[in-house]
Amino acid sequence: MVIEIKNFAVSIVYGLMTILLFAVLSSLIFSLVLQFSDTQEKSISLLITIISFFAVFFGGFISGGKRKQKGWLIGGATGVFYSLILLSYQFLGHSSFFSLEQFIYHICYILTATMGGVLGVNILSNSNFK
């Protein structure tokens, strides 16, 4: 039982690290584009949203592939923990909660990570991914 919980937690950490690494790299790229071009932040907001959903999907995919079972649960948990990290950052750093629009985005993040976890289990369970 303890080993199963440890593997569950390690899988979530792998997924979260994937999401956060992807977010840091894409933020660096977008900040450089915004700094050294005439591009406005409004013009790339849809692209940033698409990339954030891709990052959450890929994080769920990695966590599901790492766990190799119960992809819906591990992916959903990865999405929930990601949303909790963002909620704590927003609450502690900006003293505000999620708006209704942000709440809907985070429900979609959780669903996207869940789908990623299911696909990660099904695709990566036959390989030697560890």
Side-chain angles (χ1 to χ4, degrees):
M1 181 72 173
V2 173
I3 293 173
E4 187 173 326
I5 293 172
K6 180 182 175 187
N7 290 339
F8 191 80
V10 167
S11 299
I12 290 174
V13 169
Y14 268 80
L16 289 174
M17 286 181 1
T18 302
I19 294 170
L20 295 176
L21 180 67
F22 202 85
V24 166
L25 290 175
S26 62
S27 294
L28 177 67
I29 291 168
F30 282 122
S31 65
L32 291 173
V33 167
L34 289 171
Q35 179 68 30
F36 296 113
S37 72
D38 292 334
T39 306
Q40 298 292 321
E41 192 172 342
K42 279 183 169 182
S43 64
I44 60 172
S45 64
L46 180 62
L47 183 61
I48 291 171
T49 302
I50 291 169
I51 288 176
S52 67
F53 275 103
F54 178 75
V56 171
F57 177 83
F58 195 63
F61 185 85
I62 293 296
S63 63
K66 179 77 174 150
R67 182 73 175 118
K68 297 186 192 290
Q69 61 183 358
K70 297 182 183 175
W72 64 272
L73 183 63
I74 195 74
T78 303
V80 166
F81 278 106
Y82 174 69
S83 290
L84 288 174
I85 288 170
L86 292 182
L87 175 65
S88 63
Y89 170 76
Q90 185 169 340
F91 180 71
L92 296 173
H94 301 286
S95 299
S96 64
F97 287 111
F98 287 155
S99 67
L100 179 61
E101 180 182 4
Q102 289 173 320
F103 183 72
I104 292 170
Y105 272 110
H106 285 276
I107 293 297
C108 293
Y109 284 152
I110 294 168
L111 293 174
T112 303
T114 303
M115 290 186 289
V118 169
L119 284 176
V121 166
N122 291 321
I123 292 174
L124 297 178
S125 65
N126 296 329
S127 68
N128 292 330
F129 177 74
K130 289 188 178 180

